[in-house]
Amino acid sequence: MKTIRVVAAVIQDEDRVFATQRGYGEFKDGWEFPGGKVETGETPEEALKREIREELEAEIEVGRLLTVVDCDYPKFHISMMCFLCTLKSGQLILKEHEAAKWLTKDQLQSVAWLPADLEAVDVYRKMK
């Protein structure tokens, strides 16, 4: 099974995190942390900054690694590095997603997360 290396930004603002709803593809309408594939020659942090610029027209500060999620989907395996991040500049303009929400820890279960992201949500909820 093909493994896809991806990164995800758990963008924090005080007691909230930014969640996005996919606007395309096989997993359209599922909720996820924004991010994307790591390209050849990129570090995970570089990939994450690039993806957020492309998808949300914003600059982020990449913080510590929250978790690494390994998840099997029907046609591929995903290895996703999730980083805690903060917004440096920009307005988080949706270029590829159909919706977005700022969610508190208590609101995290209010959206239908994609399987890999659900594991990251569980780790985030257990943080102090």
Side-chain angles (χ1 to χ4, degrees):
M1 184 179 292
K2 180 180 178 179
T3 295
I4 301 171
R5 287 185 58 225
V6 298
V7 287
V10 181
I11 302 171
Q12 301 177 97
D13 178 37
E14 296 180 14
D15 65 338
R16 307 175 305 162
V17 293
F18 192 68
T20 54
Q21 187 177 31
R22 285 182 75 89
Y24 60 90
E26 183 178 352
F27 300 102
K28 184 181 182 313
D29 297 329
W31 287 81
E32 64 186 354
F33 291 114
K37 294 179 184 170
V38 178
E39 295 180 358
T40 304
E42 282 184 317
T43 67
E45 294 86 353
E46 290 167 342
L48 195 51
K49 289 178 182 181
R50 176 186 50 75
E51 287 286 348
I52 299 304
R53 271 193 308 274
E54 291 172 0
E55 293 180 7
L56 299 170
E57 291 189 8
E59 297 293 326
I60 57 168
E61 184 74 35
V62 179
R64 75 173 176 85
L65 180 67
L66 174 66
T67 189
V68 177
V69 175
D70 283 292
C71 186
D72 288 327
Y73 283 84
K75 297 178 183 172
F76 57 89
H77 176 84
I78 208 167
S79 181
M80 180 171 70
M81 297 180 76
C82 304
F83 290 89
L84 295 174
C85 301
T86 54
L87 188 61
K88 273 176 56 174
S89 65
Q91 299 297 317
L92 295 172
I93 298 166
L94 302 183
K95 305 291 277 182
E96 297 181 12
H97 298 91
E98 67 182 49
K101 292 182 181 183
W102 284 100
L103 301 170
T104 65
K105 281 187 181 182
D106 292 340
Q107 296 169 326
L108 285 170
Q109 299 301 337
S110 69
V111 299
W113 293 96
L114 293 173
D117 292 86
L118 187 55
E119 287 188 42
V121 166
D122 289 341
V123 172
Y124 182 79
R125 287 180 68 214
K126 293 172 185 168
M127 279 181 33
K128 296 194 182 209

